[in-house]
């Protein structure tokens, strides 16, 4: 069970069919998932159709609607800031910017191979080609990151298709693997045993008294 806007939902069976993976939901079992729900779902009207069948009740008036480890005032400030940012249009994508990003990484990737093909594999052409290729790969990583967040196109479908082109074809990595890990990272950022970015190197990130004791 989890809570969204003080309503309680049983997602035990639905979690297995959840497009974002079952772990993202299971990390919020028994907790308030309102802010994570808002952050992850752009088309809330569509998602709420699925929520209706999962609704089992509401929190009692005396029950808090936020996680116990989060400060209520800080949470309210964050939600107010998010609303202000949305009203200002700062979350709307700039298509010209993303088109130029995609174009320049393709040019750099092609240039890296053309330099080696035309000038051979002597030291200078090799280093120039390697520089082009490295920059292109880094830019691809950030571009597919924005696509994985569905931040480029309004429809998630087009974000997913282009993400597969960039990360699967151009970088040689599976988009499903990246999304599975990165969704968990943003669902529970910096939470040990829930954020995969920490699970990879738990001893290197054991900062603070609470986390150090848990490790």
């Amino acid at each position: 069970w989890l809570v969204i806007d003080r309503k309680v939902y049983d997602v035990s069976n639905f979690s297995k069919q959840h497009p974002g993976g079952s772990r993202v939901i299971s990390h919020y079992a028994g907790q308030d998932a309102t802010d994570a729900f808002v952050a992850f779902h752009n088309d809330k009207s569509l998602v709420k159709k699925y929520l209706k069948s999962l609704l089992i009740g509401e929190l009692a008036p005396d029950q808090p609607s936020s996680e116990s480890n989060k400060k209520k005032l800080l949470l309210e400030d964050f939600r107010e800031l998010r609303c202000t940012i949305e009203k200002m249009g700062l979350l709307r994508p700039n298509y010209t910017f993303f088109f130029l990003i995609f174009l320049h990484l393709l040019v750099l990737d092609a240039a890296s191979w053309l330099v080696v093909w035309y000038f051979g594999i002597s030291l200078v052409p090799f280093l120039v080609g390697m520089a082009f290729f490295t920059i292109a790969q880094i830019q691809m990583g950030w571009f597919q990151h924005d696509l994985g967040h569905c931040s480029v196109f309004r429809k998630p479908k087009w974000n997913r298709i282009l993400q597969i082109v960039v990360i699967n074809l151009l970088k040689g990595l599976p988009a499903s693997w990246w999304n599975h890990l990165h969704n968990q990272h943003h669902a529970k950022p910096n939470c040990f045993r829930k954020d995969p970015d920490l699970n990879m190197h738990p001893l290197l990130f054991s900062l603070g008294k609470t986390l150090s004791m848990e490790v």
Side-chain angles (χ1 to χ4, degrees):
W1 297 1
L2 51 77
V3 177
I4 300 173
D5 290 328
R6 299 195 64 82
K7 297 185 184 298
V8 183
Y9 298 92
D10 183 354
V11 295
S12 305
N13 295 323
F14 173 75
S15 63
K16 301 171 186 176
Q17 305 164 355
H18 182 232
S22 60
R23 286 193 181 183
V24 178
I25 288 186
S26 66
H27 288 335
Y28 275 93
Q31 298 177 17
D32 186 285
T34 303
D35 293 295
F37 173 81
V38 172
F40 274 88
H41 303 94
N42 291 331
D43 192 350
K44 296 172 186 61
S45 58
L46 173 65
V47 181
K48 284 181 179 179
K49 293 179 181 179
Y50 292 91
L51 286 177
K52 288 181 180 178
S53 62
L54 307 174
L55 181 65
I56 57 174
E58 290 189 40
L59 288 179
D62 60 333
Q63 287 291 319
S65 60
S66 60
E67 295 177 63
S68 58
N69 64 333
K70 291 184 177 179
K71 296 180 180 179
K72 185 178 180 181
L73 291 177
L74 189 63
L75 200 60
E76 290 175 355
D77 284 346
F78 169 77
R79 291 174 180 175
E80 184 179 344
L81 176 63
R82 181 182 177 86
C83 288
T84 302
I85 289 173
E86 287 179 341
K87 288 177 182 178
M88 293 173 66
L90 297 179
L91 298 182
R92 286 198 294 266
N94 184 323
Y95 294 114
T96 303
F97 169 78
F98 283 113
F99 172 75
L100 292 175
I101 287 290
F102 187 47
L103 181 64
H104 103 278
L105 65 84
L106 290 178
V107 170
L108 285 171
D109 196 49
S112 67
W113 295 103
L114 288 172
V115 166
V116 175
W117 173 76
Y118 187 79
F119 294 102
I121 55 173
S122 57
L123 182 60
V124 174
F126 177 77
L127 291 177
V128 171
M130 187 171 65
F132 285 161
F133 186 74
T134 301
I135 295 171
Q137 287 292 311
I138 293 171
Q139 290 298 314
M140 288 175 197
W142 289 116
F143 185 49
Q144 75 82 28
H145 172 274
D146 291 339
L147 291 164
H149 277 286
C150 296
S151 300
V152 178
F153 299 104
R154 291 185 179 180
K155 291 187 176 181
K157 176 184 176 181
W158 295 111
N159 285 286
R160 298 299 181 211
I161 291 174
L162 190 54
Q163 185 194 23
I164 289 173
V165 171
V166 176
I167 190 172
N168 285 41
L169 298 180
L170 298 178
K171 287 186 68 68
L173 295 169
S176 57
W177 164 81
W178 187 89
N179 289 331
H180 174 67
L181 295 179
H182 202 66
N183 284 343
Q184 293 180 72
H185 161 68
H186 279 288
K188 285 289 184 178
N190 300 329
C191 290
F192 187 55
R193 294 195 179 92
K194 291 187 177 181
D195 184 347
D197 289 5
L198 294 189
N199 294 348
M200 293 178 182
H201 304 287
L203 300 179
L204 300 179
F205 290 91
S206 55
L207 304 176
K209 294 180 180 179
T210 304
L211 186 56
S212 297
M213 287 190 292
E214 189 174 355
V215 172

